[in-house]
């Protein structure tokens, strides 16, 4: 009986190691997707608001004030998206684990509070990284050319 228990424990540990690797790959892919999505949305937002940014610059806003004016919007929207995504993620987690039910093994649907905090923090870090990348684009907006352009 002892040897059977040891074999089962080794089998479960090997399954969990594989599951941990899959989790790491999913987290990295999700992070890349979050960054790319936020970058593209911010880029589209700036493209549509070039005249507004140029006007703000002409009015004498400093580069920091201009960046806060445009990029703080992204942080607020990322905050709201992360807050809404946490309960939806819990539902999605339950759904997925219901599909992966194995005959001799079940997975617990409990998510540690630290996981919620980390998910929220990582989302906000990606939003801030996107804002850092976009600051350069804001600095390169030419006031005269932007205000002359025909919409």
């Amino acid at each position: 009986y002892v040897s059977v228990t040891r074999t089962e424990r080794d089998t479960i540990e090997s399954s969990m190691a594989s599951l941990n690797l899959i989790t790491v790959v999913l987290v990295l892919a999700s992070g890349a997707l979050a960054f790319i999505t936020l970058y593209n949305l911010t880029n589209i937002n700036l493209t549509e608001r070039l005249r507004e940014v140029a006007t703000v610059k002409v009015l004498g806003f400093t580069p920091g004030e201009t960046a806060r004016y445009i990029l703080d919007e992204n942080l607020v929207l990322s905050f709201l998206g992360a807050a809404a995504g946490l309960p939806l993620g819990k539902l999605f987690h339950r759904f997925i684990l219901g599909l992966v039910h194995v005959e001799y093994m079940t997975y617990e649907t409990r998510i540690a509070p630290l996981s919620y905090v980390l998910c929220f923090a990582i989302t906000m870090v990606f939003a801030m990284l996107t804002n850092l990348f976009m600051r350069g684009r804001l600095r390169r907006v030419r006031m005269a050319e932007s205000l002359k352009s025909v919409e």
Side-chain angles (χ1 to χ4, degrees):
Y1 181 72
V2 172
S3 65
V4 171
T5 304
R6 170 71 63 188
T7 306
E8 286 180 10
R9 179 179 288 163
D10 291 342
T11 304
I12 290 171
E13 285 177 4
S14 121
S15 291
M16 287 294 131
S18 298
L19 202 57
N20 286 340
L21 181 61
I22 290 170
T23 303
V24 167
V25 169
L26 283 174
V27 167
L28 291 176
S30 298
L33 179 65
F35 179 77
I36 291 167
T37 302
L38 286 170
Y39 184 84
N40 283 335
L41 289 174
T42 305
N43 201 14
I44 291 168
N45 186 17
L46 286 179
T47 302
E48 290 180 355
R49 296 172 70 181
L50 271 179
R51 290 179 67 102
E52 184 180 341
V53 172
T55 303
V56 166
K57 283 184 163 192
V58 167
L59 290 174
F61 279 53
T62 65
E65 290 172 332
T66 305
R68 276 194 308 276
Y69 171 69
I70 299 296
L71 300 177
D72 280 354
E73 226 176 80
N74 290 343
L75 292 178
V76 169
L77 292 174
S78 296
F79 181 87
L80 294 174
L86 291 176
L88 293 173
K90 172 82 172 177
L91 293 173
F92 187 62
H93 178 257
R94 278 192 182 161
F95 173 73
I96 293 297
L97 287 184
L99 292 176
V100 198
H101 180 72
V102 180
E103 191 173 322
Y104 294 106
M105 189 180 348
T106 59
Y107 298 103
E108 191 175 0
T109 58
R110 182 184 59 85
I111 300 175
L114 179 62
S115 296
Y116 286 107
V117 171
L118 287 175
C119 287
F120 190 83
I122 289 170
T123 301
M124 295 311 295
V125 165
F126 278 117
M128 288 180 215
L129 282 173
T130 304
N131 282 356
L132 283 175
F133 279 97
M134 283 296 156
R135 279 182 182 265
R137 175 118 193 275
L138 274 173
R139 274 188 234 116
R140 289 191 303 269
V141 171
R142 302 280 178 240
M143 294 178 268
E145 290 87 16
S146 298
L147 290 174
K148 286 182 196 175
S149 67
V150 178
E151 290 190 19

